[in-house]
């Protein structure tokens, strides 16, 4: 299965890139939003995800789709079965590559904003997915990669429309948005 990255881009110095970076999940946040009934806005997350940035600038974020957490257990189960079909497609991946030279001059306390085009793998569909990210060098051995603006995923691009409609019907809702904004703040530690 092709590894893909999800919202991360990274790097910081030549040392950062040469040694490789690993996601520190306990220090990180990843969330996505939904809108139902035209104006009920809710924020959800995944409990399990992992990521890395290689010494060549290849960044990957992998999300365990069965770890979806909306605050309502039955909704989590329905999203897993009706939307993601986690028995068949257990993970989503986002992958991108960044030129390590782009970050060579980043100093502790500085921010670099990058517009990037990665690839999102979701339910066996791979599509380009743009992202505008902020990379902060927190220390010589830690960086923070965060969304500068939400990454917007369109359900139709990944064959998720039928799953959203199934969720809408079972919950007896007039509408659930088919556009999903994603925000994250991911901490990476030098390995």
């Amino acid at each position: 299965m092709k590894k893909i990255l999800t919202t991360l881009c990274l790097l910081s110095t030549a040392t950062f890139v040469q040694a490789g970076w690993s996601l520190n999940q306990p220090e990180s946040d990843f969330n996505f939003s939904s809108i139902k009934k035209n104006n009920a806005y809710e924020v959800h997350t995944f409990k399990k995800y992992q990521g890395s940035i290689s010494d060549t600038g290849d960044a990957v974020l992998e999300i365990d789709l069965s770890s979806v957490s909306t605050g309502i257990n039955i909704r989590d189960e329905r999203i897993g079965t009706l939307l993601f079909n986690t028995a068949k497609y257990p993970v989503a991946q986002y992958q991108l590559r960044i030129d390590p030279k782009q970050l060579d001059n980043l100093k502790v306390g500085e921010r670099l904003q990058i517009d990037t085009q990665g690839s999102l793998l979701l339910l066996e569909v791979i599509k380009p997915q743009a992202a505008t990210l902020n990379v902060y060098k927190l220390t010589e051995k830690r960086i923070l990669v965060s969304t500068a603006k939400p990454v917007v995923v369109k359900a139709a691009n990944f064959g998720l429309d039928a799953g959203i409609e199934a969720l809408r019907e079972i919950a007896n809702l007039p509408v659930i948005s088919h556009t999903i904004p994603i925000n994250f703040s991911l901490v990476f530690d030098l390995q």
Side-chain angles (χ1 to χ4, degrees):
M1 187 187 244
K2 187 174 177 183
K3 288 236 172 182
I4 314 251
L5 162 87
T6 250
T7 337
L8 4 335
C9 76
L10 329 49
L11 313 151
S12 178
T13 65
T15 305
F16 158 92
V17 175
Q18 291 172 353
W21 297 78
S22 181
L23 180 68
N24 182 331
Q25 188 188 352
E27 298 290 323
S28 300
D29 293 304
F30 183 96
N31 64 69
F32 65 98
S33 304
S34 65
I35 300 172
K36 62 184 186 182
K37 298 192 269 186
N38 293 323
N39 60 6
Y41 179 83
E42 297 178 313
V43 179
H44 317 291
T45 191
F46 292 94
K47 293 179 183 176
K48 297 179 186 174
Y49 48 93
Q50 59 187 358
S52 64
I53 304 164
S54 75
D55 59 355
T56 59
D58 294 314
V60 176
L61 178 67
E62 183 174 276
I63 299 167
D64 178 347
L65 296 175
S66 68
S67 73
V68 66
S69 179
T70 66
I72 301 172
N73 290 338
I74 188 66
R75 182 167 53 189
D76 296 348
E77 292 172 19
R78 289 174 177 167
I79 289 173
T81 57
L82 298 174
L83 183 62
F84 295 135
N85 189 4
T86 56
K88 188 172 181 181
Y89 310 108
V91 298
Q93 295 175 326
Y94 184 68
Q95 177 176 324
L96 62 86
R97 183 179 175 109
I98 297 182
D99 181 356
K101 293 177 185 177
Q102 196 176 15
L103 302 172
D104 282 349
N105 295 325
L106 194 62
K107 303 213 180 332
V108 173
E110 288 185 338
R111 172 185 71 105
L112 174 67
Q113 186 172 95
I114 53 177
D115 291 314
T116 187
Q117 184 76 25
S119 297
L120 177 59
L121 169 67
L122 184 58
L123 276 62
E124 257 183 9
V125 176
I126 299 172
K127 295 277 186 180
Q129 183 67 56
T132 301
L133 305 174
N134 288 319
V135 180
Y136 297 90
K137 188 166 185 187
L138 302 177
T139 71
E140 289 297 331
K141 296 189 174 190
R142 180 170 276 195
I143 61 168
L144 170 68
V145 179
S146 64
T147 45
K149 57 185 177 182
V151 175
V152 178
V153 174
K154 295 182 180 179
N157 290 346
F158 297 93
L160 295 171
D161 285 342
I164 290 175
E165 283 306 301
L167 290 171
R168 184 193 63 74
E169 287 177 16
I170 201 164
N172 196 27
L173 295 170
V175 67
I176 297 176
S177 175
H178 287 228
T179 302
I180 302 97
I182 297 170
N183 286 289
F184 56 81
S185 180
L186 304 174
V187 173
F188 290 85
D189 293 321
L190 184 62
Q191 298 302 300

